[in-house]
Amino acid sequence: MEKYIINGGKELYGSIEVQTAKNSVLPILAATVLTDDKVRVLNVPNITDVKNMVKILSRLGCKAVFDGNDLMIDSSTADCHEIPSELAHELRSSVFLLGSVISRFRMAKIAYPGGCDIGLRPVDLHLTGLKRLGVEITEENGYIVCKCDTLKGNEIMLDCPSVGATENIMLAAVKAEGVTVIKNAAREPEIEDLQRLLNCMGAKVRGAGSSSVVIEGVKTLKGCDFHPIPDRIEAGTFLVAAAMCGGEVELKRVCAENISSLLHKLRENGCKIRVNNDKIVLENHRRLTSVKSIETQPYPGFPTDLQAQITALCCICRGQSIITENLFETRFKYVPELRKMGADITVINRNAFVRGVERFRGATVVAHDLRGGAALVSAALAAEGKSEILDISHVDRGYGSLEYKLRKLGGDIVRVSV
């Protein structure tokens, strides 16, 4: 087990490059099962979720080889339709493999997936969509068992615009007979990236980025080289950290449009932000002013994956804020940890009422999930004194070489074994 030791109170200066998007790479890796040709994914982030996905692909019989940061997947040897329970429990995104494995083998078996404990994230939307494509689904002793003779295209209306369900249905439908139309589809940039990958492989998918995705089934898919989009959540995390600590930070290889909702709030806080093509510069040298209200929404609204970080920022702004979490009901588990650092937060149901304090104080805190852990790191960097952040394995799920990037910006942070 490892922890971070952080001596806070230092402004951040410098330039770093944003990693490739975790939430894009994982469904892309799942898609490699759909072809017998080789797929090379470029500049893959060095994070635990990717390592776990590679382990699952290997257990399915695929060959995975790293060449530096590039990952070559050869699924021609895939011969197993069961996703192992010990790995499924570690990785929520293992559920993406349902669509791909069903498409490949016409059967799939997976334990209920795990990941961060941020509330109920039922897979029933995934399963309902797969049933509409002709999949028979049963539940046996904690496993989801899927079988079908033929996948057939259909119209599927999602009850809510679930990212995972949209992607899973896309993966199952690309080789189905006929046309599939996903209504009320999620519109996230990662959906567009998956469409781009599938079409590079020879699929016929259109409409990603809108509320209606159309998939015309094809018989076979080919291999390709593919470079996924940059990670908008990592970019947002670093921008919030820079706003909290003060200084001037440049992010390279970032799409400003994909985090426009965050940039709007940071400007409202009082940050100076400049955008130049794929670069964003944030500058701040004073205590910021609170944003009155922030509500998480599906894209293009404010992302739930940046809610913890922006809440931490509001804790040390002038004034009061109300942060409403509309997507996950227990995503305020980090709040007691911020209180240990001096935050004034009251949580009532899905609302966090924040009264700004002058600064955070160093403390020993625990990362209970990925994004909450990132918020604690930013708070510790901005705090007066020394902090220890325990259970950083959660942070490693989504941020590669986080401490190295922060040290490059001038942060005093080290990783040590417990």
Side-chain angles (χ1 to χ4, degrees), residues 24 27-29 31 96 166-168 170-171 189-200 205 208 226:
S24 191
I28 284 168
L29 291 179
F96 294 133
T166 300
E167 292 173 330
N168 218 348
M170 289 170 66
L171 292 169
E190 293 80 12
I191 304 285
E192 294 185 71
D193 215 29
L194 180 59
Q195 173 181 274
R196 192 162 61 92
L197 175 277
L198 291 172
N199 288 343
C200 283
V205 185
F226 190 76

Side-chain angles (χ1 to χ4, degrees), residues 76-96:
S76 62
T77 53
D79 58 0
C80 177
H81 67 272
E82 183 172 339
I83 299 164
S85 60
E86 68 272 16
L87 291 174
H89 288 312
E90 290 295 322
L91 180 64
R92 174 70 189 181
S93 299
S94 59
V95 75
F96 294 133

Side-chain angles (χ1 to χ4, degrees), residues 44 143 153 171 177 206 213 218 304 322 325:
V44 173
Y143 281 85
L171 292 169
E177 294 180 2
R206 65 182 187 275
V213 178
V218 298
T304 182
I322 301 175
E325 174 54 58

Side-chain angles (χ1 to χ4, degrees), residues 382-398:
E384 182 179 46
K386 176 182 173 181
S387 296
E388 294 188 5
I389 302 179
L390 309 180
D391 207 358
I392 60 173
S393 60
H394 290 293
V395 179
D396 291 336
R397 286 189 48 238

